[in-house]
Amino acid sequence: MSQTVRALCGRPPYFPVRLAESVATKWVSSGVWTPSFLSENLGDSLTVKRATGRFFMYAEASGANGMLPDSDAHKTDLVTLKPRDFFSKVVDGDPDGHRYYFTAPVMNLIPKLMPQVEEWPSLDLQEAEGVEPWKCIRPYLSVWIGGQDVTTQAHYDVANNVFIQVYGEKEFWCYPPSETSNLHVFPDAHPRARKSQVDFDRPDASLFPRFANLPPPLKFVLRPGDALYIPPFWFHHVRALTPSISLNVFSESRIKLAAADAFQVPLPRYLMEMDPAYRAAAIQLFVRALAPRLGLDPTALLADLLESRYKPLFGAGHTVYGRRDPAALAQLRDAMRVPAASGAARVAELPAEVRREVEGCVGRAAEGAAAHLGRMQSACRAGEAAHAQGLVETVAAHLVELWAVQLLGAEQIYDQLSAVLMAAAEDDAQQQ
């Protein structure tokens, strides 16, 4: 059954909802959001994404800000085209076989068209009321344009997302955050963080064994005038069934605000000043302090993080969409010049005074982070417990990664976390 944004405002459900929005029908009937109109009204040129395959995903600059190197496989190029040429390739296809995709905030792209969509603020879920403005994202309207079969790889966004189809058809496959491990997302230290590593067309079971456990998705086909609400942290794999034009509004969510507060819990300065050999032990203590507060097993949390996110990259060869890339793997190995695992100290090896100080630091930080994650969980409604728990597990794994990258460095994180997991498993065995 379709609902309206107005009915969801204030506390939206934590699952995707098909919407019935009168503004969607109005925008479709305006005739503005069509290839013929836009090709003549988007100025002299557009900078668009071009790829040889059908998959598109946003990526940070490889190696920037301490990130892991990325592969050139399935690289997206930026090309400048006249709007008429772009829409010709979108509608009729490119003789060279390339796929094209374009997105931009409407206000930045075509301000003169904003009066045609003046109702767009009505698609804000209004969860920012009473929150300091500097903490909140400002809602905005974006346009998404692509040819038939153009696909956005499974990923999640952290804001509320109201998506409206104005031309052509799109299919959405939606998965809850509890499926993060089965989707084998790229680590936070990777340029393609938040996206699935798996080639959905040709999944490699040897690299991504958990993908076989992925349940059937919630499927939605959107036609002109249709709308869909996608909650924060819900994965969506989106394919254009025909040449397609869509609009969407991202707006603030209480879940995102609580997660952001957890990420803002400061890393104790004392830990950054520790001997590097002790920092892996600090990570282990942090996980021990955080996980039980969230109803999670510390060792299982670490194992899940490594097996689902890092092992496909480091353990079996660097991959993009499931394809092994020896050149990128060599680049990763070159970056890992220090055999980090050999320098990782066990918790039991910490001097007594150091251990007391570290336990105090990480305990206070874990308590603060867990409180924020509990607030995030409480933003979900009764009856959404499974989705809420998956949300907590996903964000907790991100928090552990954040600490690990800051304390250990992205280039050493797999070796170091492997050592931490091994030590944690040994400690568990000794306590049994």
Side-chain angles (χ1 to χ4, degrees):
M1 180 181 295
S2 298
Q3 299 189 48
T4 63
V5 167
R6 185 173 181 179
L8 304 184
C9 279
R11 191 170 187 183
Y14 197 55
F15 50 83
V17 177
R18 185 180 287 275
L19 302 172
E21 291 295 329
S22 59
V23 297
T25 304
K26 177 188 173 186
W27 294 350
V28 171
S29 62
S30 72
V32 168
W33 303 103
T34 64
S36 58
F37 182 89
L38 294 178
S39 64
E40 302 296 333
N41 288 275
L42 289 186
D44 297 328
S45 64
L46 292 174
T47 299
V48 304
K49 298 177 182 179
R50 180 181 68 182
T52 54
R54 69 185 181 94
F55 290 101
F56 287 79
M57 73 166 85
Y58 173 78
E60 297 284 353
S62 181
N65 300 318
M67 286 190 171
L68 297 170
D70 196 5
S71 167
D72 286 335
H74 296 268
K75 182 180 179 182
T76 299
D77 297 319
L78 293 177
V79 297
T80 300
L81 297 173
K82 293 180 179 179
R84 185 176 298 178
D85 294 336
F86 168 64
F87 279 101
S88 174
K89 295 176 184 297
V90 164
V91 174
D92 301 323
D94 182 24
D96 295 330
H98 290 107
R99 308 289 172 84
Y100 293 84
Y101 193 50
F102 176 78
T103 181
V106 175
M107 183 63 189
N108 296 350
L109 177 67
I110 34 178
K112 67 180 181 180
L113 290 186
M114 290 303 292
Q116 299 287 341
V117 286
E118 62 183 0
E119 307 91 345
W120 75 265
S122 68
L123 304 180
D124 179 354
L125 271 292
Q126 298 178 13
E127 288 199 89
E129 292 185 5
V131 181
E132 298 93 330
W134 62 269
K135 283 188 173 183
C136 301
I137 63 170
R138 296 183 64 181
Y140 60 97
L141 178 73
S142 292
V143 63
W144 309 78
I145 305 170
Q148 181 175 355
D149 215 30
V150 162
T151 301
T152 305
Q153 180 75 348
H155 68 287
Y156 68 78
D157 302 299
V158 298
N160 287 316
N161 184 0
V162 174
F163 197 95
I164 290 182
Q165 191 68 14
V166 288
Y167 180 89
E169 298 181 4
K170 270 187 174 175
E171 183 175 45
F172 284 72
W173 290 5
C174 297
Y175 302 91
S178 55
E179 300 306 322
T180 300
S181 296
N182 291 334
L183 285 165
H184 290 276
V185 298
F186 283 101
D188 282 354
H190 194 278
R192 300 177 191 269
R194 298 185 293 109
K195 292 90 176 172
S196 175
Q197 300 183 44
V198 184
D199 182 342
F200 277 47
D201 293 340
R202 294 174 292 277
D204 185 334
S206 65
L207 281 177
F208 308 110
R210 298 187 181 192
F211 189 72
N213 301 325
L214 193 68
L218 296 177
K219 292 186 178 181
F220 301 87
V221 174
L222 300 189
R223 298 179 176 87
D226 290 342
L228 180 67
Y229 164 65
I230 304 172
F233 292 94
W234 267 75
F235 289 88
H236 40 293
H237 189 77
V238 188
R239 177 176 168 239
L241 302 179
T242 69
S244 169
I245 302 174
S246 316
L247 297 168
N248 92 304
V249 172
F250 285 120
S251 63
E252 191 57 87
S253 79
R254 291 189 298 161
I255 287 172
K256 174 257 179 186
L257 288 167
D261 284 342
F263 291 138
Q264 290 300 316
V265 171
L267 184 73
R269 191 170 185 177
Y270 172 80
L271 301 183
M272 297 300 296
E273 297 170 351
M274 289 175 60
D275 186 312
Y278 292 158
R279 293 179 188 172
I283 292 293
Q284 186 180 347
L285 287 170
F286 176 66
V287 177
R288 280 187 193 175
L290 177 69
R293 287 178 164 90
L294 302 173
L296 306 176
D297 178 82
T299 304
L301 176 60
L302 279 170
D304 185 75
L305 183 62
L306 280 163
E307 290 291 323
S308 67
R309 301 188 189 192
Y310 285 94
K311 190 174 180 180
L313 284 174
F314 289 88
H318 186 64
T319 65
V320 172
Y321 303 115
R323 293 177 177 80
R324 300 173 192 272
D325 188 335
L329 177 58
Q331 188 180 6
L332 277 171
R333 286 174 173 161
D334 288 343
M336 296 170 61
R337 298 183 183 89
V338 181
S342 63
R346 295 278 301 276
V347 169
E349 297 169 358
L350 291 175
E353 67 278 7
V354 174
R355 178 169 178 172
R356 284 194 298 271
E357 184 69 25
V358 171
E359 285 179 329
C361 287
V362 302
R364 290 187 292 273
E367 183 177 7
H372 292 305
L373 295 188
R375 197 177 98 232
M376 178 185 68
Q377 194 171 26
S378 67
C380 299
R381 298 172 183 233
E384 300 172 351
H387 296 334
Q389 183 63 19
L391 172 65
V392 167
E393 292 172 5
T394 297
V395 178
H398 284 307
L399 191 57
V400 172
E401 277 196 88
L402 177 66
W403 273 51
V405 169
Q406 291 184 66
L407 283 174
L408 309 176
E411 69 279 1
Q412 299 182 7
I413 194 170
Y414 180 69
D415 279 357
Q416 288 278 22
L417 284 181
S418 296
V420 170
L421 175 60
M422 187 180 301
E426 291 176 1
D427 289 347
D428 288 347
Q430 290 175 6
Q431 292 172 9
Q432 291 177 356

PDB file of all heavy atoms in Angstrom, residues 2 19 38 58 69 78 99 152 156 162 225 233 240 243 249 256 264 283 355 368:
ATOM      1  N   SER A   2       0.587   2.174  -0.871  1.00  0.00           N
ATOM      2  CA  SER A   2       1.364   3.401  -0.967  1.00  0.00           C
ATOM      3  C   SER A   2       1.001   4.360   0.150  1.00  0.00           C
ATOM      4  O   SER A   2      -0.147   4.417   0.606  1.00  0.00           O
ATOM      5  CB  SER A   2       1.128   4.072  -2.321  1.00  0.00           C
ATOM      6  OG  SER A   2       1.545   3.233  -3.371  1.00  0.00           O
ATOM      7  N   LEU A  19       5.582   5.221  -2.332  1.00  0.00           N
ATOM      8  CA  LEU A  19       4.865   6.451  -2.008  1.00  0.00           C
ATOM      9  C   LEU A  19       3.910   6.854  -3.134  1.00  0.00           C
ATOM     10  O   LEU A  19       4.152   6.542  -4.307  1.00  0.00           O
ATOM     11  CB  LEU A  19       5.852   7.595  -1.765  1.00  0.00           C
ATOM     12  CG  LEU A  19       6.888   7.393  -0.651  1.00  0.00           C
ATOM     13  CD1 LEU A  19       7.903   8.527  -0.669  1.00  0.00           C
ATOM     14  CD2 LEU A  19       6.202   7.297   0.699  1.00  0.00           C
ATOM     15  N   LEU A  38      15.184  18.578 -21.971  1.00  0.00           N
ATOM     16  CA  LEU A  38      16.453  18.834 -21.286  1.00  0.00           C
ATOM     17  C   LEU A  38      17.615  18.983 -22.264  1.00  0.00           C
ATOM     18  O   LEU A  38      18.554  19.740 -22.008  1.00  0.00           O
ATOM     19  CB  LEU A  38      16.744  17.714 -20.288  1.00  0.00           C
ATOM     20  CG  LEU A  38      15.780  17.625 -19.099  1.00  0.00           C
ATOM     21  CD1 LEU A  38      16.139  16.447 -18.208  1.00  0.00           C
ATOM     22  CD2 LEU A  38      15.774  18.917 -18.278  1.00  0.00           C
ATOM     23  N   TYR A  58      30.143   5.739  -6.971  1.00  0.00           N
ATOM     24  CA  TYR A  58      31.000   6.840  -6.563  1.00  0.00           C
ATOM     25  C   TYR A  58      32.215   6.291  -5.841  1.00  0.00           C
ATOM     26  O   TYR A  58      32.135   5.335  -5.077  1.00  0.00           O
ATOM     27  CB  TYR A  58      30.229   7.786  -5.638  1.00  0.00           C
ATOM     28  CG  TYR A  58      31.082   8.875  -5.039  1.00  0.00           C
ATOM     29  CD1 TYR A  58      31.435   9.993  -5.789  1.00  0.00           C
ATOM     30  CD2 TYR A  58      31.556   8.774  -3.747  1.00  0.00           C
ATOM     31  CE1 TYR A  58      32.227  10.991  -5.254  1.00  0.00           C
ATOM     32  CE2 TYR A  58      32.350   9.770  -3.192  1.00  0.00           C
ATOM     33  CZ  TYR A  58      32.682  10.875  -3.956  1.00  0.00           C
ATOM     34  OH  TYR A  58      33.481  11.857  -3.424  1.00  0.00           O
ATOM     35  N   PRO A  69      44.748   1.765  -1.940  1.00  0.00           N
ATOM     36  CA  PRO A  69      44.713   1.939  -3.392  1.00  0.00           C
ATOM     37  C   PRO A  69      43.527   1.214  -4.016  1.00  0.00           C
ATOM     38  O   PRO A  69      43.074   0.201  -3.503  1.00  0.00           O
ATOM     39  CB  PRO A  69      46.037   1.330  -3.864  1.00  0.00           C
ATOM     40  CG  PRO A  69      46.704   0.763  -2.682  1.00  0.00           C
ATOM     41  CD  PRO A  69      45.901   1.029  -1.469  1.00  0.00           C
ATOM     42  N   LEU A  78      35.335  10.884 -16.696  1.00  0.00           N
ATOM     43  CA  LEU A  78      34.509  12.072 -16.831  1.00  0.00           C
ATOM     44  C   LEU A  78      34.747  12.669 -18.214  1.00  0.00           C
ATOM     45  O   LEU A  78      35.893  12.911 -18.592  1.00  0.00           O
ATOM     46  CB  LEU A  78      34.841  13.098 -15.742  1.00  0.00           C
ATOM     47  CG  LEU A  78      34.493  12.703 -14.308  1.00  0.00           C
ATOM     48  CD1 LEU A  78      34.946  13.789 -13.333  1.00  0.00           C
ATOM     49  CD2 LEU A  78      32.999  12.447 -14.156  1.00  0.00           C
ATOM     50  N   ARG A  99      28.612   3.334 -21.632  1.00  0.00           N
ATOM     51  CA  ARG A  99      27.407   3.725 -20.901  1.00  0.00           C
ATOM     52  C   ARG A  99      27.666   5.096 -20.277  1.00  0.00           C
ATOM     53  O   ARG A  99      28.796   5.396 -19.870  1.00  0.00           O
ATOM     54  CB  ARG A  99      27.081   2.718 -19.798  1.00  0.00           C
ATOM     55  CG  ARG A  99      27.025   1.271 -20.285  1.00  0.00           C
ATOM     56  CD  ARG A  99      25.811   1.011 -21.148  1.00  0.00           C
ATOM     57  NE  ARG A  99      25.860  -0.302 -21.752  1.00  0.00           N
ATOM     58  CZ  ARG A  99      25.464  -1.428 -21.169  1.00  0.00           C
ATOM     59  NH1 ARG A  99      24.972  -1.372 -19.938  1.00  0.00           N
ATOM     60  NH2 ARG A  99      25.531  -2.580 -21.797  1.00  0.00           N
ATOM     61  N   THR A 152      23.506   1.232 -10.681  1.00  0.00           N
ATOM     62  CA  THR A 152      24.242   1.733  -9.523  1.00  0.00           C
ATOM     63  C   THR A 152      24.448   0.569  -8.572  1.00  0.00           C
ATOM     64  O   THR A 152      23.477  -0.027  -8.090  1.00  0.00           O
ATOM     65  CB  THR A 152      23.469   2.854  -8.814  1.00  0.00           C
ATOM     66  OG1 THR A 152      23.169   3.887  -9.756  1.00  0.00           O
ATOM     67  CG2 THR A 152      24.290   3.442  -7.682  1.00  0.00           C
ATOM     68  N   TYR A 156      24.585   1.944   0.366  1.00  0.00           N
ATOM     69  CA  TYR A 156      23.618   2.647   1.207  1.00  0.00           C
ATOM     70  C   TYR A 156      24.008   4.104   1.330  1.00  0.00           C
ATOM     71  O   TYR A 156      25.159   4.492   1.145  1.00  0.00           O
ATOM     72  CB  TYR A 156      23.498   1.997   2.595  1.00  0.00           C
ATOM     73  CG  TYR A 156      24.718   2.130   3.484  1.00  0.00           C
ATOM     74  CD1 TYR A 156      24.995   3.310   4.161  1.00  0.00           C
ATOM     75  CD2 TYR A 156      25.588   1.062   3.660  1.00  0.00           C
ATOM     76  CE1 TYR A 156      26.111   3.438   4.973  1.00  0.00           C
ATOM     77  CE2 TYR A 156      26.709   1.164   4.471  1.00  0.00           C
ATOM     78  CZ  TYR A 156      26.959   2.352   5.128  1.00  0.00           C
ATOM     79  OH  TYR A 156      28.057   2.481   5.931  1.00  0.00           O
ATOM     80  N   VAL A 162      14.017  10.167  -0.627  1.00  0.00           N
ATOM     81  CA  VAL A 162      12.742  10.058  -1.342  1.00  0.00           C
ATOM     82  C   VAL A 162      13.047  10.178  -2.828  1.00  0.00           C
ATOM     83  O   VAL A 162      13.568  11.200  -3.285  1.00  0.00           O
ATOM     84  CB  VAL A 162      11.737  11.142  -0.899  1.00  0.00           C
ATOM     85  CG1 VAL A 162      10.482  11.090  -1.770  1.00  0.00           C
ATOM     86  CG2 VAL A 162      11.372  10.944   0.562  1.00  0.00           C
ATOM     87  N   GLY A 225       6.023   8.918 -12.414  1.00  0.00           N
ATOM     88  CA  GLY A 225       5.038   9.276 -11.408  1.00  0.00           C
ATOM     89  C   GLY A 225       5.108   8.441 -10.146  1.00  0.00           C
ATOM     90  O   GLY A 225       4.432   8.753  -9.158  1.00  0.00           O
ATOM     91  N   PHE A 233      21.004   3.730   5.603  1.00  0.00           N
ATOM     92  CA  PHE A 233      21.732   2.472   5.812  1.00  0.00           C
ATOM     93  C   PHE A 233      21.055   1.278   5.147  1.00  0.00           C
ATOM     94  O   PHE A 233      21.526   0.150   5.304  1.00  0.00           O
ATOM     95  CB  PHE A 233      21.983   2.190   7.300  1.00  0.00           C
ATOM     96  CG  PHE A 233      22.944   3.156   7.951  1.00  0.00           C
ATOM     97  CD1 PHE A 233      22.469   4.271   8.617  1.00  0.00           C
ATOM     98  CD2 PHE A 233      24.307   2.950   7.876  1.00  0.00           C
ATOM     99  CE1 PHE A 233      23.343   5.168   9.217  1.00  0.00           C
ATOM    100  CE2 PHE A 233      25.193   3.846   8.461  1.00  0.00           C
ATOM    101  CZ  PHE A 233      24.715   4.957   9.133  1.00  0.00           C
ATOM    102  N   ALA A 240      18.458   0.765 -14.452  1.00  0.00           N
ATOM    103  CA  ALA A 240      17.526   1.415 -15.372  1.00  0.00           C
ATOM    104  C   ALA A 240      17.027   0.379 -16.380  1.00  0.00           C
ATOM    105  O   ALA A 240      17.825  -0.207 -17.117  1.00  0.00           O
ATOM    106  CB  ALA A 240      18.204   2.573 -16.093  1.00  0.00           C
ATOM    107  N   PRO A 243      15.950   3.949 -20.881  1.00  0.00           N
ATOM    108  CA  PRO A 243      16.527   5.271 -20.621  1.00  0.00           C
ATOM    109  C   PRO A 243      15.713   5.956 -19.524  1.00  0.00           C
ATOM    110  O   PRO A 243      14.474   5.896 -19.526  1.00  0.00           O
ATOM    111  CB  PRO A 243      16.410   5.984 -21.962  1.00  0.00           C
ATOM    112  CG  PRO A 243      16.470   4.862 -22.965  1.00  0.00           C
ATOM    113  CD  PRO A 243      15.725   3.717 -22.322  1.00  0.00           C
ATOM    114  N   VAL A 249      15.250  13.566  -3.219  1.00  0.00           N
ATOM    115  CA  VAL A 249      15.555  14.503  -2.138  1.00  0.00           C
ATOM    116  C   VAL A 249      16.196  13.721  -0.992  1.00  0.00           C
ATOM    117  O   VAL A 249      15.597  12.762  -0.485  1.00  0.00           O
ATOM    118  CB  VAL A 249      14.299  15.229  -1.638  1.00  0.00           C
ATOM    119  CG1 VAL A 249      14.622  16.049  -0.388  1.00  0.00           C
ATOM    120  CG2 VAL A 249      13.733  16.127  -2.729  1.00  0.00           C
ATOM    121  N   LYS A 256      20.883   8.851  11.240  1.00  0.00           N
ATOM    122  CA  LYS A 256      22.175   9.375  10.796  1.00  0.00           C
ATOM    123  C   LYS A 256      22.790  10.282  11.852  1.00  0.00           C
ATOM    124  O   LYS A 256      24.007  10.239  12.100  1.00  0.00           O
ATOM    125  CB  LYS A 256      22.003  10.109   9.471  1.00  0.00           C
ATOM    126  CG  LYS A 256      23.254  10.827   8.957  1.00  0.00           C
ATOM    127  CD  LYS A 256      23.122  12.323   9.223  1.00  0.00           C
ATOM    128  CE  LYS A 256      24.330  13.090   8.761  1.00  0.00           C
ATOM    129  NZ  LYS A 256      24.270  14.510   9.139  1.00  0.00           N
ATOM    130  N   GLN A 264      31.762  10.717  16.327  1.00  0.00           N
ATOM    131  CA  GLN A 264      32.449  11.898  16.832  1.00  0.00           C
ATOM    132  C   GLN A 264      33.015  11.706  18.239  1.00  0.00           C
ATOM    133  O   GLN A 264      33.693  12.591  18.750  1.00  0.00           O
ATOM    134  CB  GLN A 264      31.486  13.094  16.840  1.00  0.00           C
ATOM    135  CG  GLN A 264      31.113  13.601  15.451  1.00  0.00           C
ATOM    136  CD  GLN A 264      32.316  14.055  14.655  1.00  0.00           C
ATOM    137  OE1 GLN A 264      33.180  14.740  15.173  1.00  0.00           O
ATOM    138  NE2 GLN A 264      32.361  13.657  13.388  1.00  0.00           N
ATOM    139  N   ILE A 283      42.996  -1.556  20.381  1.00  0.00           N
ATOM    140  CA  ILE A 283      41.838  -1.871  19.547  1.00  0.00           C
ATOM    141  C   ILE A 283      41.078  -3.058  20.146  1.00  0.00           C
ATOM    142  O   ILE A 283      39.845  -3.063  20.228  1.00  0.00           O
ATOM    143  CB  ILE A 283      42.266  -2.181  18.100  1.00  0.00           C
ATOM    144  CG1 ILE A 283      42.794  -0.925  17.418  1.00  0.00           C
ATOM    145  CG2 ILE A 283      41.098  -2.771  17.305  1.00  0.00           C
ATOM    146  CD1 ILE A 283      41.755   0.132  17.178  1.00  0.00           C
ATOM    147  N   ARG A 355      48.059  -0.793  30.758  1.00  0.00           N
ATOM    148  CA  ARG A 355      46.772  -1.460  30.539  1.00  0.00           C
ATOM    149  C   ARG A 355      45.657  -0.758  31.297  1.00  0.00           C
ATOM    150  O   ARG A 355      44.553  -0.566  30.758  1.00  0.00           O
ATOM    151  CB  ARG A 355      46.865  -2.922  30.956  1.00  0.00           C
ATOM    152  CG  ARG A 355      45.538  -3.657  30.784  1.00  0.00           C
ATOM    153  CD  ARG A 355      45.669  -5.148  30.939  1.00  0.00           C
ATOM    154  NE  ARG A 355      44.385  -5.806  30.816  1.00  0.00           N
ATOM    155  CZ  ARG A 355      44.204  -7.118  30.748  1.00  0.00           C
ATOM    156  NH1 ARG A 355      45.262  -7.918  30.761  1.00  0.00           N
ATOM    157  NH2 ARG A 355      42.993  -7.639  30.641  1.00  0.00           N
ATOM    158  N   GLY A 368      30.393   5.987  25.699  1.00  0.00           N
ATOM    159  CA  GLY A 368      29.779   7.100  24.977  1.00  0.00           C
ATOM    160  C   GLY A 368      29.261   6.689  23.613  1.00  0.00           C
ATOM    161  O   GLY A 368      28.143   7.039  23.221  1.00  0.00           O
TER     162      GLY A 368
END
